[in-house]
Amino acid sequence: DERWILPITDSPKPPPERITFSLPVVNAASNVCFVACGAGKAEMAHIVLDTTPEKGSIPAALVNLSSGRPVKWILDAAAAEQITSPVHKA
């Protein structure tokens, strides 16, 4: 799919209808930052940052910037609770 913006019409999480950037657009960005808050995000943050998820199973794990810069993650303490890899705490 070469579209830049993709419509989502059946998301399991609210809102069910929305738009999203395609992966090629995100990967072409010079910087990307994911922000997650709360214990409900802890398991997913752990999977993305500490493991190698099955290819395509988690969209955030597919982000690989063409700029070569690392993807930044901003997590509160609850979302970072399960992270085992080294992190920079601000």
Side-chain angles (χ1 to χ4, degrees):
D1 196 330
E2 295 183 20
R3 296 178 291 172
W4 289 11
I5 304 294
L6 304 172
I8 307 295
T9 59
D10 59 353
S11 174
K13 295 185 179 181
E17 295 182 2
R18 58 183 177 222
I19 59 172
T20 188
F21 288 115
S22 68
L23 187 59
V25 169
V26 174
N27 282 337
S30 59
N31 292 290
V32 170
C33 179
F34 287 102
V35 179
C37 297
K41 300 295 183 182
E43 181 179 9
M44 189 58 62
H46 163 67
I47 291 169
V48 172
L49 297 171
D50 293 332
T51 71
T52 306
E54 182 178 327
K55 187 167 178 91
S57 64
I58 301 172
L62 297 173
V63 175
N64 185 12
L65 301 182
S66 58
S67 67
R69 292 182 176 159
V71 174
K72 294 178 175 68
W73 286 79
I74 298 174
L75 308 171
D76 68 359
E81 184 69 29
Q82 296 180 29
I83 303 294
T84 59
S85 58
V87 297
H88 171 74
K89 295 182 180 180

